[in-house]
Each structure stands twice: as C-alpha cells, then as structure tokens.
Amino acid sequence: MIKDLILVDLKIINDKRGDILHMLRNDDKNFTSFGECYISEVNPHRIKAWKLHLKQTQILTVVYGQLKFVFYDLRKESSTYGKIMELNLSRDANFKRLHIPPNIYYGFQNQTDELAIIVNCTNTPHDISESKKIDFDSDLIPFKWNKYD
C-alpha cells in the first residue's frame, strides 16, 4: 500500500427500483473539505495516465465498470518512495472510496469492453497550475500499461 493512500469500504443499499450507492459524507473520518465534484468517463480499455496534484486530494469511486488504478510514489520523504501499487476497483467486485493524496502520480485503465464511470469529489476546486501530467508511456514511471488498439 502506498503511504497516505486511503481506501474506504462503501455501502450499497439494494432497492428493486434502483440501488443507492454511498460515497461521501461531511462527517466521514477522512473528509476534510469540499472543492468540486465531477464525473469522468473512461472508454473501453482506454488509459488515462499519468497525473499528479501538488495540493489537491482526489476522493473518488468507480460507480460503473471496472478500472485498474496504478500509483507511483515520488515523495522522497515517504516510506513508500519509488514504489508502484496496482488496485482494481469496480461497483460489483471492489466498491470503495479512494483518497489519493498530493504528490502521487496516478493513472487508470478501463478493464472492460464497456464504458466505465468515476465520481470524483476533490477537496479543492480544479486549478491547472497545481497539477502535472505526463504521457502514459513515460520512462519516468517504471510501469507498462497493457495497450489495446
């Protein structure tokens, strides 16, 4: 596990009219503040990587589909510096809330032939100046994605 990365089990309330998926409450143990909430779609087998935030914490869950997340810790002061971590999340098999702290590169890939959907509630509003992006196949990160094309 990458240091400071948080995974929280989430509850699904089954209802024959349509299930209720819990995600985040302002009285949750790990809630700090609300910045913005958005939905991100990931097309089948596509990769969205690599991104790093300098200040913002990502607080997200996969509500549809299955995604493989990969994390790379470049924080020199961290006990997991230089480590790679992989994690599969989905509504059906591993429904959790994921907190990605600042200064960790992350990316994800849709593992299915269908659209995947993420809900992300960040702790600060989006500010392009506090994030970094690099190509998914960058040599900076010692991980090779499984490409489909």
Side-chain angles (χ1 to χ4, degrees), residues 75-108:
R75 301 170 298 168
K76 289 188 177 175
E77 74 286 355
S78 171
S79 61
T80 55
Y81 172 72
K83 301 284 186 202
I84 293 273
M85 179 184 153
E86 297 180 42
L87 173 68
N88 288 310
L89 292 179
S90 72
R91 176 195 165 172
D92 299 329
N94 199 17
F95 188 56
K96 298 189 183 296
R97 182 176 68 234
L98 172 63
H99 296 243
I100 307 170
N103 296 304
I104 293 177
Y105 273 104
Y106 69 96
F108 42 86

mmCIF file of all heavy atoms in Angstrom, residues 75-108:
data_model
loop_
_atom_site.group_PDB
_atom_site.id
_atom_site.type_symbol
_atom_site.label_atom_id
_atom_site.label_comp_id
_atom_site.label_asym_id
_atom_site.label_seq_id
_atom_site.Cartn_x
_atom_site.Cartn_y
_atom_site.Cartn_z
ATOM 1 N N ARG A 75 7.419 10.893 -3.617
ATOM 2 C CA ARG A 75 7.686 11.750 -2.449
ATOM 3 C C ARG A 75 8.927 11.212 -1.735
ATOM 4 O O ARG A 75 8.874 10.145 -1.110
ATOM 5 C CB ARG A 75 6.483 11.749 -1.507
ATOM 6 C CG ARG A 75 5.199 12.240 -2.173
ATOM 7 C CD ARG A 75 3.995 11.997 -1.306
ATOM 8 N NE ARG A 75 3.822 10.561 -1.089
ATOM 9 C CZ ARG A 75 3.004 10.036 -0.187
ATOM 10 N NH1 ARG A 75 2.270 10.830 0.576
ATOM 11 N NH2 ARG A 75 2.909 8.729 -0.048
ATOM 12 N N LYS A 76 10.021 11.941 -1.819
ATOM 13 C CA LYS A 76 11.298 11.459 -1.263
ATOM 14 C C LYS A 76 11.236 11.197 0.231
ATOM 15 O O LYS A 76 11.939 10.325 0.739
ATOM 16 C CB LYS A 76 12.416 12.446 -1.587
ATOM 17 C CG LYS A 76 12.759 12.419 -3.057
ATOM 18 C CD LYS A 76 13.971 13.230 -3.389
ATOM 19 C CE LYS A 76 14.227 13.053 -4.879
ATOM 20 N NZ LYS A 76 15.294 13.851 -5.386
ATOM 21 N N GLU A 77 10.388 11.901 0.952
ATOM 22 C CA GLU A 77 10.279 11.714 2.403
ATOM 23 C C GLU A 77 9.371 10.537 2.785
ATOM 24 O O GLU A 77 9.272 10.160 3.943
ATOM 25 C CB GLU A 77 9.770 13.003 3.067
ATOM 26 C CG GLU A 77 8.290 13.301 2.861
ATOM 27 C CD GLU A 77 7.870 13.804 1.471
ATOM 28 O OE1 GLU A 77 8.747 14.042 0.606
ATOM 29 O OE2 GLU A 77 6.653 13.942 1.250
ATOM 30 N N SER A 78 8.719 9.931 1.813
ATOM 31 C CA SER A 78 7.749 8.865 2.064
ATOM 32 C C SER A 78 8.428 7.505 2.250
ATOM 33 O O SER A 78 9.405 7.189 1.577
ATOM 34 C CB SER A 78 6.772 8.777 0.887
ATOM 35 O OG SER A 78 5.944 7.636 1.003
ATOM 36 N N SER A 79 7.854 6.699 3.126
ATOM 37 C CA SER A 79 8.368 5.340 3.337
ATOM 38 C C SER A 79 8.096 4.442 2.130
ATOM 39 O O SER A 79 8.674 3.359 2.022
ATOM 40 C CB SER A 79 7.755 4.726 4.593
ATOM 41 O OG SER A 79 6.345 4.638 4.466
ATOM 42 N N THR A 80 7.222 4.882 1.216
ATOM 43 C CA THR A 80 6.945 4.100 0.011
ATOM 44 C C THR A 80 7.509 4.791 -1.238
ATOM 45 O O THR A 80 7.053 4.526 -2.357
ATOM 46 C CB THR A 80 5.428 3.830 -0.144
ATOM 47 O OG1 THR A 80 4.719 5.080 -0.111
ATOM 48 C CG2 THR A 80 4.929 2.912 0.949
ATOM 49 N N TYR A 81 8.497 5.644 -1.052
ATOM 50 C CA TYR A 81 9.141 6.341 -2.176
ATOM 51 C C TYR A 81 9.624 5.342 -3.228
ATOM 52 O O TYR A 81 10.249 4.336 -2.909
ATOM 53 C CB TYR A 81 10.327 7.167 -1.674
ATOM 54 C CG TYR A 81 11.157 7.768 -2.774
ATOM 55 C CD1 TYR A 81 10.675 8.832 -3.530
ATOM 56 C CD2 TYR A 81 12.418 7.259 -3.078
ATOM 57 C CE1 TYR A 81 11.427 9.385 -4.547
ATOM 58 C CE2 TYR A 81 13.188 7.808 -4.102
ATOM 59 C CZ TYR A 81 12.686 8.870 -4.835
ATOM 60 O OH TYR A 81 13.434 9.411 -5.845
ATOM 61 N N GLY A 82 9.279 5.627 -4.493
ATOM 62 C CA GLY A 82 9.704 4.781 -5.603
ATOM 63 C C GLY A 82 8.867 3.536 -5.813
ATOM 64 O O GLY A 82 9.136 2.752 -6.723
ATOM 65 N N LYS A 83 7.853 3.346 -4.993
ATOM 66 C CA LYS A 83 7.016 2.136 -5.099
ATOM 67 C C LYS A 83 5.869 2.343 -6.085
ATOM 68 O O LYS A 83 5.334 3.432 -6.233
ATOM 69 C CB LYS A 83 6.425 1.762 -3.740
ATOM 70 C CG LYS A 83 7.443 1.501 -2.660
ATOM 71 C CD LYS A 83 8.089 0.169 -2.844
ATOM 72 C CE LYS A 83 8.988 -0.108 -1.649
ATOM 73 N NZ LYS A 83 10.005 -1.059 -1.902
ATOM 74 N N ILE A 84 5.487 1.227 -6.712
ATOM 75 C CA ILE A 84 4.322 1.154 -7.601
ATOM 76 C C ILE A 84 3.259 0.332 -6.881
ATOM 77 O O ILE A 84 3.569 -0.652 -6.217
ATOM 78 C CB ILE A 84 4.682 0.425 -8.910
ATOM 79 C CG1 ILE A 84 5.677 1.239 -9.727
ATOM 80 C CG2 ILE A 84 3.455 0.063 -9.711
ATOM 81 C CD1 ILE A 84 5.077 2.253 -10.640
ATOM 82 N N MET A 85 2.009 0.747 -7.020
ATOM 83 C CA MET A 85 0.895 -0.020 -6.451
ATOM 84 C C MET A 85 -0.204 -0.120 -7.503
ATOM 85 O O MET A 85 -0.518 0.865 -8.162
ATOM 86 C CB MET A 85 0.359 0.666 -5.207
ATOM 87 C CG MET A 85 -0.814 -0.035 -4.565
ATOM 88 S SD MET A 85 -1.441 0.922 -3.175
ATOM 89 C CE MET A 85 -3.134 0.386 -3.176
ATOM 90 N N GLU A 86 -0.767 -1.310 -7.652
ATOM 91 C CA GLU A 86 -1.901 -1.534 -8.554
ATOM 92 C C GLU A 86 -3.125 -1.882 -7.725
ATOM 93 O O GLU A 86 -3.020 -2.554 -6.697
ATOM 94 C CB GLU A 86 -1.599 -2.675 -9.517
ATOM 95 C CG GLU A 86 -0.441 -2.408 -10.432
ATOM 96 C CD GLU A 86 -0.160 -3.565 -11.373
ATOM 97 O OE1 GLU A 86 -1.130 -4.160 -11.909
ATOM 98 O OE2 GLU A 86 1.026 -3.879 -11.571
ATOM 99 N N LEU A 87 -4.291 -1.437 -8.201
ATOM 100 C CA LEU A 87 -5.541 -1.652 -7.481
ATOM 101 C C LEU A 87 -6.682 -1.699 -8.486
ATOM 102 O O LEU A 87 -6.797 -0.818 -9.339
ATOM 103 C CB LEU A 87 -5.750 -0.493 -6.499
ATOM 104 C CG LEU A 87 -7.061 -0.403 -5.751
ATOM 105 C CD1 LEU A 87 -7.200 -1.552 -4.764
ATOM 106 C CD2 LEU A 87 -7.150 0.926 -5.014
ATOM 107 N N ASN A 88 -7.530 -2.729 -8.391
ATOM 108 C CA ASN A 88 -8.723 -2.813 -9.236
ATOM 109 C C ASN A 88 -9.936 -2.389 -8.427
ATOM 110 O O ASN A 88 -10.144 -2.882 -7.314
ATOM 111 C CB ASN A 88 -8.918 -4.236 -9.759
ATOM 112 C CG ASN A 88 -7.891 -4.596 -10.801
ATOM 113 O OD1 ASN A 88 -7.684 -3.856 -11.746
ATOM 114 N ND2 ASN A 88 -7.233 -5.722 -10.629
ATOM 115 N N LEU A 89 -10.719 -1.479 -9.003
ATOM 116 C CA LEU A 89 -11.946 -1.030 -8.356
ATOM 117 C C LEU A 89 -13.119 -1.183 -9.312
ATOM 118 O O LEU A 89 -12.987 -0.941 -10.516
ATOM 119 C CB LEU A 89 -11.847 0.438 -7.929
ATOM 120 C CG LEU A 89 -10.878 0.791 -6.819
ATOM 121 C CD1 LEU A 89 -10.907 2.282 -6.543
ATOM 122 C CD2 LEU A 89 -11.177 0.007 -5.551
ATOM 123 N N SER A 90 -14.255 -1.578 -8.749
ATOM 124 C CA SER A 90 -15.498 -1.653 -9.514
ATOM 125 C C SER A 90 -16.659 -1.626 -8.531
ATOM 126 O O SER A 90 -16.487 -1.874 -7.343
ATOM 127 C CB SER A 90 -15.560 -2.933 -10.359
ATOM 128 O OG SER A 90 -15.756 -4.063 -9.536
ATOM 129 N N ARG A 91 -17.815 -1.342 -9.039
ATOM 130 C CA ARG A 91 -19.004 -1.364 -8.191
ATOM 131 C C ARG A 91 -19.296 -2.785 -7.719
ATOM 132 O O ARG A 91 -19.629 -3.027 -6.569
ATOM 133 C CB ARG A 91 -20.204 -0.827 -8.965
ATOM 134 C CG ARG A 91 -21.464 -0.938 -8.144
ATOM 135 C CD ARG A 91 -22.693 -0.773 -8.946
ATOM 136 N NE ARG A 91 -23.809 -1.250 -8.134
ATOM 137 C CZ ARG A 91 -25.037 -1.106 -8.464
ATOM 138 N NH1 ARG A 91 -25.357 -0.510 -9.575
ATOM 139 N NH2 ARG A 91 -25.980 -1.575 -7.693
ATOM 140 N N ASP A 92 -19.145 -3.745 -8.606
ATOM 141 C CA ASP A 92 -19.556 -5.112 -8.313
ATOM 142 C C ASP A 92 -18.567 -5.898 -7.460
ATOM 143 O O ASP A 92 -18.964 -6.672 -6.606
ATOM 144 C CB ASP A 92 -19.812 -5.871 -9.622
ATOM 145 C CG ASP A 92 -20.930 -5.234 -10.429
ATOM 146 O OD1 ASP A 92 -21.850 -4.648 -9.830
ATOM 147 O OD2 ASP A 92 -20.882 -5.315 -11.667
ATOM 148 N N ALA A 93 -17.267 -5.718 -7.681
ATOM 149 C CA ALA A 93 -16.287 -6.585 -7.025
ATOM 150 C C ALA A 93 -15.484 -5.891 -5.925
ATOM 151 O O ALA A 93 -14.965 -6.561 -5.040
ATOM 152 C CB ALA A 93 -15.328 -7.162 -8.062
ATOM 153 N N ASN A 94 -15.334 -4.581 -5.986
ATOM 154 C CA ASN A 94 -14.493 -3.884 -5.019
ATOM 155 C C ASN A 94 -14.953 -2.430 -4.918
ATOM 156 O O ASN A 94 -14.257 -1.517 -5.368
ATOM 157 C CB ASN A 94 -13.020 -3.971 -5.451
ATOM 158 C CG ASN A 94 -12.065 -3.696 -4.317
ATOM 159 O OD1 ASN A 94 -12.429 -3.730 -3.152
ATOM 160 N ND2 ASN A 94 -10.818 -3.414 -4.661
ATOM 161 N N PHE A 95 -16.125 -2.225 -4.310
ATOM 162 C CA PHE A 95 -16.738 -0.897 -4.232
ATOM 163 C C PHE A 95 -16.167 -0.158 -3.028
ATOM 164 O O PHE A 95 -16.514 -0.451 -1.883
ATOM 165 C CB PHE A 95 -18.262 -1.015 -4.145
ATOM 166 C CG PHE A 95 -18.979 0.296 -4.242
ATOM 167 C CD1 PHE A 95 -18.774 1.130 -5.332
ATOM 168 C CD2 PHE A 95 -19.860 0.685 -3.264
ATOM 169 C CE1 PHE A 95 -19.430 2.349 -5.429
ATOM 170 C CE2 PHE A 95 -20.534 1.897 -3.346
ATOM 171 C CZ PHE A 95 -20.321 2.730 -4.438
ATOM 172 N N LYS A 96 -15.248 0.762 -3.301
ATOM 173 C CA LYS A 96 -14.555 1.502 -2.252
ATOM 174 C C LYS A 96 -14.398 2.957 -2.662
ATOM 175 O O LYS A 96 -14.446 3.288 -3.847
ATOM 176 C CB LYS A 96 -13.171 0.915 -1.999
ATOM 177 C CG LYS A 96 -13.204 -0.529 -1.520
ATOM 178 C CD LYS A 96 -11.846 -0.986 -1.081
ATOM 179 C CE LYS A 96 -11.831 -2.440 -0.672
ATOM 180 N NZ LYS A 96 -12.623 -2.780 0.458
ATOM 181 N N ARG A 97 -14.174 3.799 -1.657
ATOM 182 C CA ARG A 97 -13.801 5.189 -1.897
ATOM 183 C C ARG A 97 -12.285 5.266 -1.780
ATOM 184 O O ARG A 97 -11.694 4.727 -0.845
ATOM 185 C CB ARG A 97 -14.466 6.117 -0.881
ATOM 186 C CG ARG A 97 -14.152 7.584 -1.127
ATOM 187 C CD ARG A 97 -14.906 8.502 -0.172
ATOM 188 N NE ARG A 97 -14.433 8.344 1.191
ATOM 189 C CZ ARG A 97 -15.216 8.061 2.237
ATOM 190 N NH1 ARG A 97 -16.511 7.886 2.084
ATOM 191 N NH2 ARG A 97 -14.702 7.954 3.444
ATOM 192 N N LEU A 98 -11.682 5.944 -2.724
ATOM 193 C CA LEU A 98 -10.240 6.055 -2.800
ATOM 194 C C LEU A 98 -9.837 7.509 -2.584
ATOM 195 O O LEU A 98 -10.369 8.402 -3.245
ATOM 196 C CB LEU A 98 -9.785 5.578 -4.183
ATOM 197 C CG LEU A 98 -8.344 5.772 -4.588
ATOM 198 C CD1 LEU A 98 -7.412 4.987 -3.677
ATOM 199 C CD2 LEU A 98 -8.161 5.345 -6.041
ATOM 200 N N HIS A 99 -8.911 7.732 -1.648
ATOM 201 C CA HIS A 99 -8.352 9.068 -1.410
ATOM 202 C C HIS A 99 -6.912 9.046 -1.908
ATOM 203 O O HIS A 99 -6.082 8.302 -1.372
ATOM 204 C CB HIS A 99 -8.343 9.406 0.088
ATOM 205 C CG HIS A 99 -9.699 9.499 0.694
ATOM 206 N ND1 HIS A 99 -10.194 10.669 1.230
ATOM 207 C CD2 HIS A 99 -10.672 8.577 0.878
ATOM 208 C CE1 HIS A 99 -11.404 10.458 1.714
ATOM 209 N NE2 HIS A 99 -11.713 9.190 1.509
ATOM 210 N N ILE A 100 -6.620 9.857 -2.920
ATOM 211 C CA ILE A 100 -5.262 9.953 -3.461
ATOM 212 C C ILE A 100 -4.680 11.279 -2.994
ATOM 213 O O ILE A 100 -5.123 12.350 -3.430
ATOM 214 C CB ILE A 100 -5.250 9.892 -4.997
ATOM 215 C CG1 ILE A 100 -6.001 8.653 -5.504
ATOM 216 C CG2 ILE A 100 -3.803 9.923 -5.510
ATOM 217 C CD1 ILE A 100 -6.237 8.648 -7.002
ATOM 218 N N PRO A 101 -3.683 11.237 -2.108
ATOM 219 C CA PRO A 101 -3.116 12.483 -1.590
ATOM 220 C C PRO A 101 -2.244 13.178 -2.639
ATOM 221 O O PRO A 101 -1.888 12.567 -3.662
ATOM 222 C CB PRO A 101 -2.274 12.010 -0.404
ATOM 223 C CG PRO A 101 -1.905 10.618 -0.729
ATOM 224 C CD PRO A 101 -3.050 10.057 -1.524
ATOM 225 N N PRO A 102 -1.872 14.420 -2.382
ATOM 226 C CA PRO A 102 -0.989 15.133 -3.305
ATOM 227 C C PRO A 102 0.356 14.426 -3.484
ATOM 228 O O PRO A 102 0.794 13.667 -2.612
ATOM 229 C CB PRO A 102 -0.791 16.490 -2.618
ATOM 230 C CG PRO A 102 -1.945 16.639 -1.690
ATOM 231 C CD PRO A 102 -2.291 15.245 -1.252
ATOM 232 N N ASN A 103 0.977 14.716 -4.616
ATOM 233 C CA ASN A 103 2.344 14.288 -4.943
ATOM 234 C C ASN A 103 2.507 12.790 -5.184
ATOM 235 O O ASN A 103 3.584 12.247 -4.981
ATOM 236 C CB ASN A 103 3.335 14.792 -3.899
ATOM 237 C CG ASN A 103 3.382 16.308 -3.901
ATOM 238 O OD1 ASN A 103 3.642 16.912 -4.932
ATOM 239 N ND2 ASN A 103 3.089 16.915 -2.771
ATOM 240 N N ILE A 104 1.429 12.148 -5.596
ATOM 241 C CA ILE A 104 1.494 10.750 -6.029
ATOM 242 C C ILE A 104 0.987 10.712 -7.469
ATOM 243 O O ILE A 104 -0.122 11.170 -7.761
ATOM 244 C CB ILE A 104 0.632 9.833 -5.141
ATOM 245 C CG1 ILE A 104 1.228 9.766 -3.746
ATOM 246 C CG2 ILE A 104 0.513 8.440 -5.754
ATOM 247 C CD1 ILE A 104 0.429 8.963 -2.768
ATOM 248 N N TYR A 105 1.821 10.192 -8.374
ATOM 249 C CA TYR A 105 1.354 10.007 -9.742
ATOM 250 C C TYR A 105 0.352 8.874 -9.769
ATOM 251 O O TYR A 105 0.532 7.853 -9.090
ATOM 252 C CB TYR A 105 2.516 9.663 -10.679
ATOM 253 C CG TYR A 105 3.217 10.885 -11.237
ATOM 254 C CD1 TYR A 105 4.447 11.278 -10.754
ATOM 255 C CD2 TYR A 105 2.613 11.632 -12.252
ATOM 256 C CE1 TYR A 105 5.084 12.403 -11.265
ATOM 257 C CE2 TYR A 105 3.245 12.757 -12.764
ATOM 258 C CZ TYR A 105 4.475 13.137 -12.273
ATOM 259 O OH TYR A 105 5.092 14.244 -12.780
ATOM 260 N N TYR A 106 -0.712 9.054 -10.550
ATOM 261 C CA TYR A 106 -1.708 8.001 -10.685
ATOM 262 C C TYR A 106 -2.258 7.983 -12.103
ATOM 263 O O TYR A 106 -2.177 8.956 -12.848
ATOM 264 C CB TYR A 106 -2.843 8.162 -9.670
ATOM 265 C CG TYR A 106 -3.729 9.358 -9.922
ATOM 266 C CD1 TYR A 106 -4.914 9.225 -10.629
ATOM 267 C CD2 TYR A 106 -3.385 10.615 -9.457
ATOM 268 C CE1 TYR A 106 -5.731 10.321 -10.869
ATOM 269 C CE2 TYR A 106 -4.181 11.706 -9.685
ATOM 270 C CZ TYR A 106 -5.353 11.558 -10.400
ATOM 271 O OH TYR A 106 -6.156 12.643 -10.653
ATOM 272 N N GLY A 107 -2.800 6.835 -12.450
ATOM 273 C CA GLY A 107 -3.469 6.665 -13.721
ATOM 274 C C GLY A 107 -4.417 5.492 -13.600
ATOM 275 O O GLY A 107 -4.395 4.756 -12.613
ATOM 276 N N PHE A 108 -5.264 5.324 -14.605
ATOM 277 C CA PHE A 108 -6.197 4.204 -14.575
ATOM 278 C C PHE A 108 -6.528 3.770 -15.986
ATOM 279 O O PHE A 108 -6.360 4.518 -16.945
ATOM 280 C CB PHE A 108 -7.463 4.532 -13.779
ATOM 281 C CG PHE A 108 -8.029 5.910 -14.014
ATOM 282 C CD1 PHE A 108 -8.899 6.157 -15.058
ATOM 283 C CD2 PHE A 108 -7.692 6.956 -13.171
ATOM 284 C CE1 PHE A 108 -9.417 7.423 -15.276
ATOM 285 C CE2 PHE A 108 -8.213 8.221 -13.369
ATOM 286 C CZ PHE A 108 -9.080 8.459 -14.423
#
